[in-house]
Amino acid sequence: MTEVKPSETASTGILGWIERTGNKLPDPVFLFFGLILFLMAISVVASLAGLSAAHPVEIDDATGQAKILAAQSLFSPENIQRLWVEMPKTFTHFHPLGYVLVVMLGAGVAERAGLFGSAMRAGVANAPKLLLTPLVVLVGMLGNLAADAAYVVLIPLAGIIFHAAGRHPIAGIAAAFAGVSGGFSANLFPGQLDALLFGITEAAVETVFGDYSSNIAGNWFFIVAMTFIFLPVIWYVTDRIIEPRLGAFDPSKAGSAAADDTAQGALSADERKGLRWAGLAVLAVVALWLFFTFGPGTPLIDESASAEARLNPFYQSLVGGFLVLFLFAGWAYGKAAGTIGDHRDLVKMMSESMADLAYYLVLAFAAAHFVAMFAWSNLGLILAVHGADFLQTSGLPAWALLAGIILFTGVLNLFVGSASAKWALLAPVLVPMLMLLGISPEMATAAYRVGDGATNIITPLMVYFPLILIFCQRWQKDFGLGSLAATMLPYSIGLMVAGLAMAIGWVVLDLPLGPGASVFIDIPSSAAATTTTG
């Protein structure tokens, strides 16, 4: 592989500016700590200025009017005491933490046993040449359930498969990268990302409206539609724009590692047996959940609840359901393929998956305190109320507001790569604000997901961007950072346009986002009062 010198990567123009500016940002963990210090200072100023708003749901018993909440200084004795006394509770009660840890206990086993890697290889290994691109893209989007495995297994494999089919290997890498990262939220099933994002959404709602249970399937229909809308976009860009631009593949320009990669595509007999066993395990878990839902006693259906809430236990059980699904499928695959010997190997894999989350735990600690302290200061509610007031007087329709959020998220993603970090920053203000305008938390989350995915593939600050560059340089030694960014830019534009059109259409047609999740909600009963209080 040819080393890319700093002078070559520090490109000019907008990409160079993005790279230089983004590199000056601190690690997301310290970004949150810095924001906490800034929040504390702002809370003092807001408190002294008497900033206030009417609570959207709480009523003052004495006046019968909406309860007025004033900005609170985070340096007040009460908040200082709360910070230190409740620190363990603030961290452990951060909703995304539990969701992610539970799902990853199972997903870590499936990944380490080799299930995810073999499933992705099987999905594209014998693809007809005509359908090679869409199959690579589809497997890439479904591979999001496998988290990091999709990047390190499917993307280099796509280059090998394209080369074997007589096509340019970098076109395969680009298509797979666009599917895995550009279509980051697209999928046929909810997964780890849904657990993570809706955990943050739940915390954001509770800062203003009290107890709220998120629905991990709240974007299910939306992400399925994303899959089928994004797939032809990436297919078209790959076959009609990128591959013709790349021209014929020149083997003389390939790095030495490319030849070594060509033998990694075929599945062994044990791996094929493992996939069959994993498939049976998946069917068994699905059957078990159907039994829990429709069997005697219907434990996952609340028969006493209203029609809209009857399935809430089922939705809330899906986090545990994915744990069981990944765990048993991974175990079944590992036993058949020989990657898991006994229960000790299983426990070791679960332990290693928790070790991989070490950085996330540190990030979650910082994000949890930022979200909690934002709530203590009342600034989240006040900003949401006055932001909703401004947007309401602007006369902008709901689709225009959400389109603006998508575009803003896409720009922010160029500088802050972590999906969870960005949503933890945005959700405490955006989610309550949109709720006060009658837009559901599920729709706010869906809009964020569209913007977050579209620009993943063009920012050098994306954590896997250098790895993708290395994969490309195996096939073309002089392929640099600017080459990769230029290759992925048409995908980014196409996905952003398609995502915007889809989100706008979804709002205009008022389609359901998932089981029990709609675009619009009833504005909280006291919200009318909030738009007139300053």
Side-chain angles (χ1 to χ4, degrees):
M1 184 192 74
T2 301
E3 181 181 359
V4 181
K5 299 178 181 179
S7 60
E8 296 173 332
T9 61
S11 55
T12 58
I14 185 64
L15 288 175
W17 177 81
I18 290 170
E19 183 178 7
R20 291 190 300 271
T21 304
N23 284 336
K24 295 177 182 178
L25 291 175
D27 184 275
V29 173
F30 272 83
L31 183 62
F32 273 113
F33 284 134
L35 287 171
I36 287 173
L37 294 176
F38 178 73
L39 174 63
M40 294 175 74
I42 291 295
S43 72
V44 174
V45 175
S47 177
L48 292 175
L51 191 64
S52 65
H55 198 286
V57 294
E58 293 185 6
I59 301 297
D60 190 322
D61 293 335
T63 64
Q65 301 295 319
K67 184 178 180 180
I68 303 299
L69 290 182
Q72 299 294 313
S73 170
L74 292 173
F75 284 102
S76 68
E78 295 81 4
N79 280 325
I80 291 175
Q81 180 189 83
R82 179 185 288 184
L83 171 64
W84 300 115
V85 172
E86 297 185 7
M87 187 169 285
K89 178 182 176 182
T90 301
F91 181 36
T92 58
H93 286 212
F94 188 50
H95 293 291
L97 184 63
Y99 291 174
V100 172
L101 291 177
V102 169
V103 173
M104 282 304 296
L105 277 172
V109 172
E111 180 177 355
R112 282 166 175 75
L115 170 60
F116 288 151
S118 293
M120 285 185 286
R121 288 160 60 201
V124 297
N126 298 312
K129 187 174 181 179
L130 180 65
L131 299 178
L132 183 55
T133 301
L135 283 175
V136 164
V137 175
L138 179 61
V139 173
M141 289 190 284
L142 297 182
N144 293 331
L145 294 173
D148 294 352
Y151 287 96
V152 300
V153 174
L154 177 65
I155 293 177
L157 179 64
I160 297 169
I161 294 173
F162 265 58
H163 180 249
R167 300 180 60 180
H168 202 297
I170 291 181
I173 291 173
F177 187 28
V180 172
S181 193
F184 189 60
S185 283
N187 216 299
L188 298 182
F189 306 97
Q192 303 169 51
L193 182 63
D194 297 83
L196 174 63
L197 294 183
F198 276 107
I200 296 173
T201 301
E202 181 175 323
V205 175
E206 290 184 345
T207 61
V208 176
F209 299 100
D211 289 341
Y212 172 80
S213 295
S214 66
N215 173 7
I216 193 177
N219 282 168
W220 194 344
F221 303 158
F222 190 84
I223 63 175
V224 169
M226 286 177 72
T227 303
F228 290 104
I229 289 174
F230 283 3
L231 192 151
V233 171
I234 300 174
W235 186 0
Y236 177 86
V237 171
T238 302
D239 290 4
R240 297 300 180 90
I241 299 176
I242 299 304
E243 196 161 16
R245 178 177 177 273
L246 290 169
F249 173 61
D250 184 356
S252 66
K253 293 184 178 181
S256 59
D260 299 333
D261 285 342
T262 56
Q264 298 176 7
L267 289 173
S268 67
D270 287 342
E271 288 171 331
R272 289 193 294 270
K273 179 181 178 182
L275 288 176
R276 290 194 295 270
W277 281 38
L280 293 175
V282 168
L283 292 176
V285 173
V286 171
L288 178 64
W289 243 250
L290 290 174
F291 177 78
F292 286 151
T293 305
F294 302 109
T298 59
L300 295 183
I301 295 181
D302 186 353
E303 302 287 359
S304 63
S306 62
E308 294 80 7
R310 289 179 73 247
L311 286 174
N312 279 350
F314 171 77
Y315 300 144
Q316 294 165 8
S317 77
L318 290 178
V319 174
F322 280 114
L323 161 66
V324 176
L325 182 72
F326 289 137
L327 181 63
F328 278 85
W331 194 356
Y333 174 89
K335 291 294 289 185
T339 55
I340 294 180
D342 56 22
H343 69 279
R344 291 179 178 83
D345 291 335
L346 187 71
V347 174
K348 181 180 179 182
M349 290 178 178
M350 296 173 76
S351 301
E352 290 173 347
S353 68
M354 293 297 99
D356 285 348
L357 290 175
Y359 175 79
Y360 174 75
L361 293 175
V362 178
L363 178 63
F365 178 82
H369 281 83
F370 173 77
V371 172
M373 294 172 74
F374 207 54
W376 301 344
S377 70
N378 288 335
L379 290 177
L381 182 146
I382 293 169
L383 290 174
V385 168
H386 291 294
D389 185 23
F390 170 77
L391 292 176
Q392 189 175 58
T393 57
S394 71
L396 290 173
W399 65 263
L401 297 177
L402 291 165
I405 290 172
I406 291 171
L407 292 172
F408 174 72
T409 301
V411 173
L412 182 62
N413 190 45
L414 296 174
F415 306 97
V416 183
S418 169
S420 58
K422 284 195 304 296
W423 192 224
L425 288 171
L426 298 175
V429 173
L430 287 182
V431 172
M433 181 177 69
L434 292 174
M435 289 180 70
L436 292 175
L437 295 173
I439 298 173
S440 70
E442 290 82 7
M443 188 64 236
T445 308
Y448 168 77
R449 299 173 79 152
V450 173
D452 174 65
T455 54
N456 269 340
I457 51 181
I458 60 172
T459 171
L461 303 177
M462 189 264 188
V463 65
Y464 284 105
F465 205 81
L467 180 65
I468 308 305
L469 182 62
I470 292 172
F471 292 153
C472 291
Q473 289 174 342
R474 289 178 175 177
W475 299 99
Q476 186 172 324
K477 291 179 289 185
D478 60 351
F479 200 85
L481 188 68
S483 303
L484 180 56
T487 299
M488 301 312 298
L489 185 59
Y491 292 107
S492 184
I493 295 172
L495 292 175
M496 179 62 80
V497 172
L500 277 169
M502 174 184 160
I504 291 171
W506 211 278
V507 174
V508 171
L509 297 175
D510 192 12
L511 302 174
L513 293 157
S518 59
V519 172
F520 300 102
I521 58 171
D522 293 331
I523 300 176
S525 57
S526 299
T530 68
T531 59
T532 60
T533 303

